[in-house]
Amino acid sequence: YRRQRQMCIRDRQSGRTIIPCIHEVMSFKEAVNYAKDIDVKLIPYELCEGMKATKEALFGLKSGMDVAVFIGPEGGLEVEEVEKAKELGIIPISLGKRILRTETAGLAIMAIIMYHLESGE
């Protein structure tokens, strides 16, 4: 997600003053180009082994940073796509042992990021 630069009225339900921006589906090339100036870029990848890279990426996150998360299609990402992502500074991470559906992977990583930033761990 990428936080919006302008401040908004505090949302009554969530208490947020910055609302995460979810973009329309775009090609990998378009997404990479869009995210080139974002502080931290993550790509959950089902073949990423262990949680080491995930923990390192999370510990590097600080409040106020822009974060881009690249969610792959049903059926997963191609090895070549992940290698290209790594070349462009996008960090492959694991979301755990289970392979999540496309529509739940984004929610899962958002919850993980929010937990990390709000718990101070």
Side-chain angles (χ1 to χ4, degrees):
Y1 85 92
R2 183 176 179 146
R3 66 184 171 92
Q4 295 177 346
R5 293 276 180 205
Q6 66 266 39
M7 295 301 287
C8 63
I9 297 172
R10 182 176 295 273
D11 180 75
R12 288 184 186 169
Q13 181 179 353
S14 69
R16 288 181 167 276
T17 56
I18 298 173
I19 299 172
C21 183
I22 309 297
H23 292 278
E24 293 292 323
V25 174
M26 57 180 81
S27 72
F28 182 73
K29 185 176 180 180
E30 291 170 327
V32 168
N33 187 47
Y34 178 83
K36 65 183 174 204
D37 295 325
I38 291 180
D39 301 319
V40 178
K41 299 175 274 284
L42 306 172
I43 188 165
Y45 182 45
E46 64 273 11
L47 297 180
C48 189
E49 293 185 20
M51 297 298 288
K52 183 178 179 186
T54 305
K55 289 177 184 177
E56 288 175 0
L58 289 177
F59 286 121
L61 293 178
K62 304 291 180 235
S63 183
M65 289 180 136
D66 285 336
V67 179
V69 178
F70 295 80
I71 303 296
E74 289 295 330
L77 295 159
E78 298 293 328
V79 174
E80 297 80 22
E81 291 173 312
V82 177
E83 290 302 318
K84 182 66 174 172
K86 287 168 56 176
E87 290 172 14
L88 297 169
I90 302 169
I91 304 164
I93 60 169
S94 173
L95 296 181
K97 294 179 182 178
R98 281 135 194 95
I99 296 176
L100 303 177
R101 296 179 62 93
T102 296
E103 61 268 19
T104 55
L107 293 173
I109 190 62
M110 287 288 294
I112 293 167
I113 290 170
M114 287 182 348
Y115 171 81
H116 170 72
L117 290 174
E118 293 177 15
S119 70
E121 293 182 23

